[in-house]
PDB file of all heavy atoms in Angstrom:
ATOM      1  N   ALA A   1      -8.131-222.489-153.753  1.00 88.00           N
ATOM      2  CA  ALA A   1      -9.396-223.220-153.886  1.00 88.00           C
ATOM      3  C   ALA A   1      -9.884-223.761-152.546  1.00 88.00           C
ATOM      4  O   ALA A   1     -11.085-223.902-152.334  1.00 88.00           O
ATOM      5  CB  ALA A   1      -9.236-224.362-154.888  1.00 88.00           C
ATOM      6  N   ASP A   2      -8.976-224.031-151.624  1.00 93.00           N
ATOM      7  CA  ASP A   2      -9.330-224.578-150.311  1.00 93.00           C
ATOM      8  C   ASP A   2      -9.143-223.582-149.176  1.00 93.00           C
ATOM      9  O   ASP A   2      -9.515-223.868-148.038  1.00 93.00           O
ATOM     10  CB  ASP A   2      -8.465-225.815-150.017  1.00 93.00           C
ATOM     11  CG  ASP A   2      -8.620-226.895-151.066  1.00 93.00           C
ATOM     12  OD1 ASP A   2      -9.759-227.108-151.539  1.00 93.00           O
ATOM     13  OD2 ASP A   2      -7.605-227.517-151.422  1.00 93.00           O
ATOM     14  N   LEU A   3      -8.567-222.426-149.467  1.00 93.00           N
ATOM     15  CA  LEU A   3      -8.204-221.492-148.412  1.00 93.00           C
ATOM     16  C   LEU A   3      -9.412-220.902-147.704  1.00 93.00           C
ATOM     17  O   LEU A   3      -9.408-220.756-146.483  1.00 93.00           O
ATOM     18  CB  LEU A   3      -7.305-220.383-148.961  1.00 93.00           C
ATOM     19  CG  LEU A   3      -6.714-219.419-147.936  1.00 93.00           C
ATOM     20  CD1 LEU A   3      -5.954-220.160-146.844  1.00 93.00           C
ATOM     21  CD2 LEU A   3      -5.822-218.396-148.626  1.00 93.00           C
ATOM     22  N   GLY A   4     -10.468-220.556-148.435  1.00 92.00           N
ATOM     23  CA  GLY A   4     -11.659-219.985-147.795  1.00 92.00           C
ATOM     24  C   GLY A   4     -12.248-220.927-146.765  1.00 92.00           C
ATOM     25  O   GLY A   4     -12.573-220.523-145.649  1.00 92.00           O
ATOM     26  N   GLU A   5     -12.370-222.181-147.125  1.00 94.00           N
ATOM     27  CA  GLU A   5     -12.907-223.169-146.180  1.00 94.00           C
ATOM     28  C   GLU A   5     -11.979-223.333-144.980  1.00 94.00           C
ATOM     29  O   GLU A   5     -12.423-223.408-143.842  1.00 94.00           O
ATOM     30  CB  GLU A   5     -13.104-224.508-146.883  1.00 94.00           C
ATOM     31  CG  GLU A   5     -13.734-225.554-145.993  1.00 94.00           C
ATOM     32  CD  GLU A   5     -13.993-226.853-146.723  1.00 94.00           C
ATOM     33  OE1 GLU A   5     -14.044-226.873-147.959  1.00 94.00           O
ATOM     34  OE2 GLU A   5     -14.147-227.874-146.025  1.00 94.00           O
ATOM     35  N   PHE A   6     -10.677-223.371-145.228  1.00 95.00           N
ATOM     36  CA  PHE A   6      -9.689-223.482-144.152  1.00 95.00           C
ATOM     37  C   PHE A   6      -9.803-222.293-143.200  1.00 95.00           C
ATOM     38  O   PHE A   6      -9.866-222.463-141.983  1.00 95.00           O
ATOM     39  CB  PHE A   6      -8.283-223.563-144.754  1.00 95.00           C
ATOM     40  CG  PHE A   6      -7.175-223.557-143.746  1.00 95.00           C
ATOM     41  CD1 PHE A   6      -6.850-224.705-143.052  1.00 95.00           C
ATOM     42  CD2 PHE A   6      -6.452-222.405-143.504  1.00 95.00           C
ATOM     43  CE1 PHE A   6      -5.817-224.707-142.120  1.00 95.00           C
ATOM     44  CE2 PHE A   6      -5.418-222.386-142.582  1.00 95.00           C
ATOM     45  CZ  PHE A   6      -5.105-223.542-141.892  1.00 95.00           C
ATOM     46  N   LEU A   7      -9.839-221.086-143.760  1.00 95.00           N
ATOM     47  CA  LEU A   7      -9.917-219.892-142.915  1.00 95.00           C
ATOM     48  C   LEU A   7     -11.233-219.794-142.163  1.00 95.00           C
ATOM     49  O   LEU A   7     -11.296-219.177-141.100  1.00 95.00           O
ATOM     50  CB  LEU A   7      -9.691-218.632-143.766  1.00 95.00           C
ATOM     51  CG  LEU A   7      -8.287-218.450-144.328  1.00 95.00           C
ATOM     52  CD1 LEU A   7      -8.246-217.244-145.258  1.00 95.00           C
ATOM     53  CD2 LEU A   7      -7.252-218.318-143.214  1.00 95.00           C
ATOM     54  N   SER A   8     -12.288-220.389-142.683  1.00 94.00           N
ATOM     55  CA  SER A   8     -13.589-220.310-142.002  1.00 94.00           C
ATOM     56  C   SER A   8     -13.581-221.021-140.655  1.00 94.00           C
ATOM     57  O   SER A   8     -14.489-220.824-139.852  1.00 94.00           O
ATOM     58  CB  SER A   8     -14.704-220.874-142.898  1.00 94.00           C
ATOM     59  OG  SER A   8     -14.602-222.282-142.991  1.00 94.00           O
ATOM     60  N   THR A   9     -12.555-221.798-140.380  1.00 94.00           N
ATOM     61  CA  THR A   9     -12.458-222.468-139.077  1.00 94.00           C
ATOM     62  C   THR A   9     -11.757-221.595-138.037  1.00 94.00           C
ATOM     63  O   THR A   9     -11.586-222.015-136.903  1.00 94.00           O
ATOM     64  CB  THR A   9     -11.723-223.824-139.197  1.00 94.00           C
ATOM     65  OG1 THR A   9     -10.365-223.596-139.559  1.00 94.00           O
ATOM     66  CG2 THR A   9     -12.399-224.726-140.220  1.00 94.00           C
ATOM     67  N   TYR A  10     -11.357-220.398-138.436  1.00 94.00           N
ATOM     68  CA  TYR A  10     -10.657-219.474-137.547  1.00 94.00           C
ATOM     69  C   TYR A  10     -11.460-218.188-137.372  1.00 94.00           C
ATOM     70  O   TYR A  10     -12.183-217.769-138.264  1.00 94.00           O
ATOM     71  CB  TYR A  10      -9.272-219.118-138.115  1.00 94.00           C
ATOM     72  CG  TYR A  10      -8.325-220.282-138.112  1.00 94.00           C
ATOM     73  CD1 TYR A  10      -8.222-221.123-139.209  1.00 94.00           C
ATOM     74  CD2 TYR A  10      -7.548-220.553-136.995  1.00 94.00           C
ATOM     75  CE1 TYR A  10      -7.360-222.210-139.198  1.00 94.00           C
ATOM     76  CE2 TYR A  10      -6.684-221.638-136.977  1.00 94.00           C
ATOM     77  CZ  TYR A  10      -6.595-222.459-138.076  1.00 94.00           C
ATOM     78  OH  TYR A  10      -5.750-223.532-138.063  1.00 94.00           O
ATOM     79  N   ASP A  11     -11.278-217.551-136.222  1.00 94.00           N
ATOM     80  CA  ASP A  11     -11.901-216.256-135.966  1.00 94.00           C
ATOM     81  C   ASP A  11     -11.057-215.109-136.523  1.00 94.00           C
ATOM     82  O   ASP A  11     -11.587-214.069-136.899  1.00 94.00           O
ATOM     83  CB  ASP A  11     -12.095-216.031-134.466  1.00 94.00           C
ATOM     84  CG  ASP A  11     -13.081-217.004-133.860  1.00 94.00           C
ATOM     85  OD1 ASP A  11     -14.071-217.351-134.531  1.00 94.00           O
ATOM     86  OD2 ASP A  11     -12.866-217.426-132.707  1.00 94.00           O
ATOM     87  N   THR A  12      -9.738-215.297-136.545  1.00 95.00           N
ATOM     88  CA  THR A  12      -8.827-214.221-136.931  1.00 95.00           C
ATOM     89  C   THR A  12      -7.623-214.785-137.669  1.00 95.00           C
ATOM     90  O   THR A  12      -7.124-215.851-137.324  1.00 95.00           O
ATOM     91  CB  THR A  12      -8.321-213.470-135.675  1.00 95.00           C
ATOM     92  OG1 THR A  12      -9.431-212.983-134.939  1.00 95.00           O
ATOM     93  CG2 THR A  12      -7.413-212.308-136.038  1.00 95.00           C
ATOM     94  N   LEU A  13      -7.156-214.039-138.649  1.00 95.00           N
ATOM     95  CA  LEU A  13      -5.899-214.330-139.324  1.00 95.00           C
ATOM     96  C   LEU A  13      -4.957-213.175-139.023  1.00 95.00           C
ATOM     97  O   LEU A  13      -5.323-212.012-139.197  1.00 95.00           O
ATOM     98  CB  LEU A  13      -6.096-214.446-140.842  1.00 95.00           C
ATOM     99  CG  LEU A  13      -4.816-214.555-141.676  1.00 95.00           C
ATOM    100  CD1 LEU A  13      -4.088-215.870-141.389  1.00 95.00           C
ATOM    101  CD2 LEU A  13      -5.133-214.431-143.157  1.00 95.00           C
ATOM    102  N   MET A  14      -3.762-213.487-138.560  1.00 93.00           N
ATOM    103  CA  MET A  14      -2.752-212.464-138.316  1.00 93.00           C
ATOM    104  C   MET A  14      -1.640-212.651-139.332  1.00 93.00           C
ATOM    105  O   MET A  14      -1.082-213.745-139.455  1.00 93.00           O
ATOM    106  CB  MET A  14      -2.168-212.563-136.915  1.00 93.00           C
ATOM    107  CG  MET A  14      -1.110-211.527-136.644  1.00 93.00           C
ATOM    108  SD  MET A  14      -0.350-211.666-135.015  1.00 93.00           S
ATOM    109  CE  MET A  14      -1.699-211.127-134.002  1.00 93.00           C
ATOM    110  N   ILE A  15      -1.359-211.594-140.063  1.00 93.00           N
ATOM    111  CA  ILE A  15      -0.246-211.593-141.013  1.00 93.00           C
ATOM    112  C   ILE A  15       0.841-210.732-140.379  1.00 93.00           C
ATOM    113  O   ILE A  15       0.687-209.525-140.279  1.00 93.00           O
ATOM    114  CB  ILE A  15      -0.674-211.032-142.380  1.00 93.00           C
ATOM    115  CG1 ILE A  15      -1.814-211.862-142.970  1.00 93.00           C
ATOM    116  CG2 ILE A  15       0.513-210.984-143.325  1.00 93.00           C
ATOM    117  CD1 ILE A  15      -2.408-211.286-144.236  1.00 93.00           C
ATOM    118  N   GLY A  16       1.902-211.358-139.935  1.00 92.00           N
ATOM    119  CA  GLY A  16       2.960-210.656-139.218  1.00 92.00           C
ATOM    120  C   GLY A  16       4.212-210.479-140.047  1.00 92.00           C
ATOM    121  O   GLY A  16       4.974-211.420-140.195  1.00 92.00           O
ATOM    122  N   ASP A  17       4.400-209.298-140.603  1.00 92.00           N
ATOM    123  CA  ASP A  17       5.594-208.934-141.364  1.00 92.00           C
ATOM    124  C   ASP A  17       5.899-209.940-142.472  1.00 92.00           C
ATOM    125  O   ASP A  17       7.016-210.434-142.593  1.00 92.00           O
ATOM    126  CB  ASP A  17       6.789-208.762-140.424  1.00 92.00           C
ATOM    127  CG  ASP A  17       7.950-208.041-141.090  1.00 92.00           C
ATOM    128  OD1 ASP A  17       7.708-207.250-142.027  1.00 92.00           O
ATOM    129  OD2 ASP A  17       9.100-208.291-140.695  1.00 92.00           O
ATOM    130  N   VAL A  18       4.871-210.268-143.262  1.00 93.00           N
ATOM    131  CA  VAL A  18       5.006-211.218-144.370  1.00 93.00           C
ATOM    132  C   VAL A  18       4.849-210.444-145.678  1.00 93.00           C
ATOM    133  O   VAL A  18       3.850-209.755-145.870  1.00 93.00           O
ATOM    134  CB  VAL A  18       3.917-212.318-144.286  1.00 93.00           C
ATOM    135  CG1 VAL A  18       4.012-213.267-145.464  1.00 93.00           C
ATOM    136  CG2 VAL A  18       4.010-213.064-142.965  1.00 93.00           C
ATOM    137  N   PRO A  19       5.807-210.541-146.590  1.00 94.00           N
ATOM    138  CA  PRO A  19       5.663-209.820-147.861  1.00 94.00           C
ATOM    139  C   PRO A  19       4.543-210.402-148.720  1.00 94.00           C
ATOM    140  O   PRO A  19       4.256-211.601-148.666  1.00 94.00           O
ATOM    141  CB  PRO A  19       7.025-209.989-148.539  1.00 94.00           C
ATOM    142  CG  PRO A  19       7.646-211.170-147.891  1.00 94.00           C
ATOM    143  CD  PRO A  19       7.064-211.282-146.511  1.00 94.00           C
ATOM    144  N   ALA A  20       3.945-209.561-149.518  1.00 94.00           N
ATOM    145  CA  ALA A  20       2.821-209.959-150.376  1.00 94.00           C
ATOM    146  C   ALA A  20       3.200-211.072-151.339  1.00 94.00           C
ATOM    147  O   ALA A  20       2.361-211.907-151.688  1.00 94.00           O
ATOM    148  CB  ALA A  20       2.309-208.747-151.155  1.00 94.00           C
ATOM    149  N   GLU A  21       4.444-211.132-151.750  1.00 94.00           N
ATOM    150  CA  GLU A  21       4.864-212.145-152.716  1.00 94.00           C
ATOM    151  C   GLU A  21       4.720-213.570-152.180  1.00 94.00           C
ATOM    152  O   GLU A  21       4.759-214.519-152.945  1.00 94.00           O
ATOM    153  CB  GLU A  21       6.306-211.904-153.152  1.00 94.00           C
ATOM    154  CG  GLU A  21       7.309-212.090-152.032  1.00 94.00           C
ATOM    155  CD  GLU A  21       8.710-211.639-152.390  1.00 94.00           C
ATOM    156  OE1 GLU A  21       8.858-210.700-153.175  1.00 94.00           O
ATOM    157  OE2 GLU A  21       9.654-212.242-151.855  1.00 94.00           O
ATOM    158  N   ARG A  22       4.526-213.722-150.881  1.00 93.00           N
ATOM    159  CA  ARG A  22       4.338-215.060-150.307  1.00 93.00           C
ATOM    160  C   ARG A  22       2.951-215.624-150.591  1.00 93.00           C
ATOM    161  O   ARG A  22       2.704-216.801-150.386  1.00 93.00           O
ATOM    162  CB  ARG A  22       4.567-215.033-148.798  1.00 93.00           C
ATOM    163  CG  ARG A  22       5.958-214.671-148.391  1.00 93.00           C
ATOM    164  CD  ARG A  22       6.873-215.893-148.500  1.00 93.00           C
ATOM    165  NE  ARG A  22       8.195-215.612-148.033  1.00 93.00           N
ATOM    166  CZ  ARG A  22       8.622-215.811-146.802  1.00 93.00           C
ATOM    167  NH1 ARG A  22       7.815-216.292-145.895  1.00 93.00           N
ATOM    168  NH2 ARG A  22       9.851-215.512-146.485  1.00 93.00           N
ATOM    169  N   PHE A  23       2.011-214.758-151.020  1.00 93.00           N
ATOM    170  CA  PHE A  23       0.652-215.174-151.354  1.00 93.00           C
ATOM    171  C   PHE A  23       0.443-214.996-152.844  1.00 93.00           C
ATOM    172  O   PHE A  23       0.915-214.023-153.424  1.00 93.00           O
ATOM    173  CB  PHE A  23      -0.389-214.315-150.619  1.00 93.00           C
ATOM    174  CG  PHE A  23      -0.235-214.290-149.131  1.00 93.00           C
ATOM    175  CD1 PHE A  23       0.329-213.201-148.493  1.00 93.00           C
ATOM    176  CD2 PHE A  23      -0.683-215.345-148.352  1.00 93.00           C
ATOM    177  CE1 PHE A  23       0.459-213.165-147.120  1.00 93.00           C
ATOM    178  CE2 PHE A  23      -0.555-215.322-146.978  1.00 93.00           C
ATOM    179  CZ  PHE A  23       0.022-214.231-146.363  1.00 93.00           C
ATOM    180  N   ASP A  24      -0.323-215.907-153.458  1.00 92.00           N
ATOM    181  CA  ASP A  24      -0.691-215.627-154.845  1.00 92.00           C
ATOM    182  C   ASP A  24      -1.976-214.790-154.835  1.00 92.00           C
ATOM    183  O   ASP A  24      -2.607-214.614-153.794  1.00 92.00           O
ATOM    184  CB  ASP A  24      -0.815-216.910-155.679  1.00 92.00           C
ATOM    185  CG  ASP A  24      -1.931-217.844-155.249  1.00 92.00           C
ATOM    186  OD1 ASP A  24      -3.022-217.367-154.877  1.00 92.00           O
ATOM    187  OD2 ASP A  24      -1.721-219.078-155.309  1.00 92.00           O
ATOM    188  N   GLY A  25      -2.332-214.259-155.981  1.00 91.00           N
ATOM    189  CA  GLY A  25      -3.494-213.365-156.066  1.00 91.00           C
ATOM    190  C   GLY A  25      -4.781-214.014-155.605  1.00 91.00           C
ATOM    191  O   GLY A  25      -5.611-213.378-154.948  1.00 91.00           O
ATOM    192  N   ALA A  26      -4.977-215.284-155.920  1.00 93.00           N
ATOM    193  CA  ALA A  26      -6.196-215.981-155.515  1.00 93.00           C
ATOM    194  C   ALA A  26      -6.234-216.198-154.002  1.00 93.00           C
ATOM    195  O   ALA A  26      -7.299-216.123-153.388  1.00 93.00           O
ATOM    196  CB  ALA A  26      -6.312-217.313-156.255  1.00 93.00           C
ATOM    197  N   GLN A  27      -5.091-216.436-153.381  1.00 94.00           N
ATOM    198  CA  GLN A  27      -5.057-216.557-151.923  1.00 94.00           C
ATOM    199  C   GLN A  27      -5.400-215.218-151.273  1.00 94.00           C
ATOM    200  O   GLN A  27      -6.142-215.173-150.301  1.00 94.00           O
ATOM    201  CB  GLN A  27      -3.681-217.027-151.448  1.00 94.00           C
ATOM    202  CG  GLN A  27      -3.413-218.486-151.681  1.00 94.00           C
ATOM    203  CD  GLN A  27      -2.017-218.872-151.267  1.00 94.00           C
ATOM    204  OE1 GLN A  27      -1.043-218.189-151.597  1.00 94.00           O
ATOM    205  NE2 GLN A  27      -1.917-219.960-150.529  1.00 94.00           N
ATOM    206  N   MET A  28      -4.865-214.131-151.826  1.00 94.00           N
ATOM    207  CA  MET A  28      -5.182-212.810-151.284  1.00 94.00           C
ATOM    208  C   MET A  28      -6.673-212.524-151.397  1.00 94.00           C
ATOM    209  O   MET A  28      -7.271-211.960-150.489  1.00 94.00           O
ATOM    210  CB  MET A  28      -4.385-211.727-152.000  1.00 94.00           C
ATOM    211  CG  MET A  28      -2.972-211.649-151.574  1.00 94.00           C
ATOM    212  SD  MET A  28      -2.330-210.057-152.102  1.00 94.00           S
ATOM    213  CE  MET A  28      -0.598-210.396-152.081  1.00 94.00           C
ATOM    214  N   GLU A  29      -7.266-212.901-152.513  1.00 95.00           N
ATOM    215  CA  GLU A  29      -8.706-212.690-152.686  1.00 95.00           C
ATOM    216  C   GLU A  29      -9.488-213.528-151.690  1.00 95.00           C
ATOM    217  O   GLU A  29     -10.497-213.062-151.132  1.00 95.00           O
ATOM    218  CB  GLU A  29      -9.133-213.003-154.119  1.00 95.00           C
ATOM    219  CG  GLU A  29     -10.595-212.799-154.401  1.00 95.00           C
ATOM    220  CD  GLU A  29     -11.099-211.375-154.138  1.00 95.00           C
ATOM    221  OE1 GLU A  29     -10.308-210.411-154.130  1.00 95.00           O
ATOM    222  OE2 GLU A  29     -12.324-211.228-153.944  1.00 95.00           O
ATOM    223  N   ALA A  30      -9.063-214.745-151.403  1.00 95.00           N
ATOM    224  CA  ALA A  30      -9.740-215.581-150.406  1.00 95.00           C
ATOM    225  C   ALA A  30      -9.642-214.947-149.024  1.00 95.00           C
ATOM    226  O   ALA A  30     -10.612-214.953-148.257  1.00 95.00           O
ATOM    227  CB  ALA A  30      -9.154-216.988-150.398  1.00 95.00           C
ATOM    228  N   ILE A  31      -8.488-214.377-148.698  1.00 96.00           N
ATOM    229  CA  ILE A  31      -8.315-213.687-147.415  1.00 96.00           C
ATOM    230  C   ILE A  31      -9.241-212.478-147.353  1.00 96.00           C
ATOM    231  O   ILE A  31      -9.922-212.242-146.349  1.00 96.00           O
ATOM    232  CB  ILE A  31      -6.841-213.284-147.212  1.00 96.00           C
ATOM    233  CG1 ILE A  31      -5.976-214.540-147.013  1.00 96.00           C
ATOM    234  CG2 ILE A  31      -6.691-212.317-146.043  1.00 96.00           C
ATOM    235  CD1 ILE A  31      -4.478-214.285-147.094  1.00 96.00           C
ATOM    236  N   ARG A  32      -9.273-211.692-148.430  1.00 96.00           N
ATOM    237  CA  ARG A  32     -10.154-210.506-148.461  1.00 96.00           C
ATOM    238  C   ARG A  32     -11.603-210.909-148.264  1.00 96.00           C
ATOM    239  O   ARG A  32     -12.319-210.312-147.464  1.00 96.00           O
ATOM    240  CB  ARG A  32     -10.010-209.756-149.791  1.00 96.00           C
ATOM    241  CG  ARG A  32     -10.842-208.458-149.812  1.00 96.00           C
ATOM    242  CD  ARG A  32     -11.174-207.997-151.210  1.00 96.00           C
ATOM    243  NE  ARG A  32     -12.015-208.921-151.944  1.00 96.00           N
ATOM    244  CZ  ARG A  32     -13.350-209.068-151.761  1.00 96.00           C
ATOM    245  NH1 ARG A  32     -13.991-208.374-150.852  1.00 96.00           N
ATOM    246  NH2 ARG A  32     -14.035-209.928-152.487  1.00 96.00           N
ATOM    247  N   LYS A  33     -12.058-211.942-148.966  1.00 96.00           N
ATOM    248  CA  LYS A  33     -13.450-212.372-148.848  1.00 96.00           C
ATOM    249  C   LYS A  33     -13.777-212.815-147.431  1.00 96.00           C
ATOM    250  O   LYS A  33     -14.831-212.475-146.894  1.00 96.00           O
ATOM    251  CB  LYS A  33     -13.747-213.522-149.816  1.00 96.00           C
ATOM    252  CG  LYS A  33     -14.052-213.084-151.201  1.00 96.00           C
ATOM    253  CD  LYS A  33     -14.483-214.274-152.036  1.00 96.00           C
ATOM    254  CE  LYS A  33     -15.121-213.791-153.314  1.00 96.00           C
ATOM    255  NZ  LYS A  33     -15.593-214.899-154.127  1.00 96.00           N
ATOM    256  N   GLN A  34     -12.898-213.598-146.821  1.00 95.00           N
ATOM    257  CA  GLN A  34     -13.164-214.061-145.451  1.00 95.00           C
ATOM    258  C   GLN A  34     -13.256-212.873-144.495  1.00 95.00           C
ATOM    259  O   GLN A  34     -14.098-212.851-143.601  1.00 95.00           O
ATOM    260  CB  GLN A  34     -12.081-215.033-144.985  1.00 95.00           C
ATOM    261  CG  GLN A  34     -12.203-216.414-145.567  1.00 95.00           C
ATOM    262  CD  GLN A  34     -13.511-217.103-145.231  1.00 95.00           C
ATOM    263  OE1 GLN A  34     -14.246-217.479-146.125  1.00 95.00           O
ATOM    264  NE2 GLN A  34     -13.818-217.263-143.979  1.00 95.00           N
TER     265      GLN A  34
END
């Protein structure tokens, strides 16, 4: 619910060797949208 706003303060997100299970589906969707 807060991730999109949080990510909007950054130019880039780097995911470095992190398994998908560390994110829930809604967080992944927020990342995709950003």
